[in-house]
Amino acid sequence: MSQYVVGLTGGIGSGKSTVAELFVEQGAGLVDADAIARELTVADGVAMPMLTAEFGRKILSPNGALDRAAMRQLAFADPSIKNRLECILHPIIRKISTERCRAATEPYVILAVPLLVESGTYRDRCDRIVVVDCPESLQIERVMARNGMSAEEVKAIMATQATRQQRLLVADDVVVNDADKTKISEQVKMLHSNYLALMAEKLKASC
Ligand code: ADP
């Protein structure tokens, strides 16, 4: 069981997944809240009966999985829909992510949560918080390239997330991802050594 949990967050397109993979290459465990959300919403995912009962079949793609774009449109149009969606998904994601952090065998676990700052309950579960940060213009550029969205669509998503400043305020560590990937890999290596040392200290203190 991993005794040490590092919460990893950042705005959309900041580079969370990229940085998380670099930690895994170093030997960290990874529990990814977004990946769990996707598992829950495939065609036979455990959340699908509840979501269909709540929102109807209009949220389904032809293969029966959650149509994420359709759901996003509905949630944008009506904030109460976003709330109802989160009330269904978040408790299940929290439960599964806790179980996976406990079951991990690596020295520490990266718990990647896009909305960690927005959700107090995740902060309480982390020994340390690392924020991936970059200028907003880069976030927009990267998500446009990755998802084929317009700048307006990306900005609309960013407006629903914590601000850059709010994230930096809760950060114990920051990975600055404003240049090429070599720069982040150096930062991750240094943080990895630090997390191993902190994990060892925590273990000693609990003996
Ligand atoms: P997030 O998980 O925060 O949404 P990703 O890690 O998926 O962000 O990164 C968004 C996109 O930008 C991806 O296509 C990724 O390959 C690219 N990317 C991330 N960091 C860099 C970088 N330093 N240089 C070039 N491309 C990057």
Side-chain angles (χ1 to χ4, degrees):
M1 174 179 138
S2 281
Q3 304 280 343
Y4 201 82
V5 176
V6 179
L8 180 146
T9 194
I12 184 168
S14 57
K16 290 180 297 297
S17 313
T18 309
V19 169
E21 279 312 314
L22 291 172
F23 275 108
V24 170
E25 277 173 27
Q26 294 297 308
L30 174 62
V31 174
D32 182 339
D34 226 18
I36 296 172
R38 283 193 296 272
E39 286 171 33
L40 296 176
T41 54
V42 294
D44 56 355
V46 302
M48 290 316 292
M50 284 177 272
L51 293 178
T52 317
E54 184 72 23
F55 302 111
R57 302 189 62 80
K58 62 182 177 295
I59 60 155
L60 299 181
S61 56
N63 72 357
L66 178 69
D67 181 339
R68 291 166 80 90
M71 194 71 239
R72 200 181 305 120
Q73 292 302 333
L74 286 175
F76 270 141
D78 179 352
S80 76
I81 291 188
K82 182 168 180 266
N83 241 340
R84 280 153 59 200
L85 173 70
E86 290 178 351
C87 281
I88 294 172
L89 288 183
H90 285 189
I92 317 177
I93 297 172
R94 264 199 299 275
K95 181 169 179 290
I96 296 177
S97 59
T98 302
E99 285 166 4
R100 290 190 185 171
C101 283
R102 289 213 181 107
T105 52
E106 293 86 356
Y108 70 93
V109 182
I110 295 287
L111 174 61
V113 185
L115 301 181
L116 184 140
V117 172
E118 293 83 342
S119 146
T121 57
Y122 279 104
R123 268 193 267 173
D124 296 345
R125 289 164 42 190
C126 298
D127 294 286
R128 190 118 185 139
I129 292 177
V130 58
V131 167
V132 183
D133 182 62
C134 73
E136 287 161 356
S137 56
L138 264 183
Q139 283 180 260
I140 296 169
E141 213 174 274
R142 287 178 187 155
V143 180
M144 286 172 72
R146 184 188 62 187
N147 298 37
M149 287 181 178
S150 67
E152 280 60 41
E153 285 172 310
V154 185
K155 283 183 198 165
I157 294 175
M158 287 166 64
T160 68
Q161 301 189 335
T163 64
R164 196 176 171 191
Q165 193 59 27
Q166 285 167 331
R167 271 189 295 269
L168 290 173
L169 275 174
V170 303
D172 296 300
D173 303 302
V174 178
V175 173
V176 180
N177 185 20
D178 62 357
D180 64 36
K181 291 184 183 172
T182 355
K183 188 170 160 194
I184 39 177
S185 97
E186 286 312 306
Q187 295 176 72
V188 166
K189 278 181 194 160
M190 280 197 296
L191 287 172
H192 174 71
S193 312
N194 198 22
Y195 295 153
L196 289 179
L198 288 168
M199 178 273 298
E201 254 173 48
K202 186 180 174 186
L203 273 185
K204 260 191 263 165
S206 66
C207 265

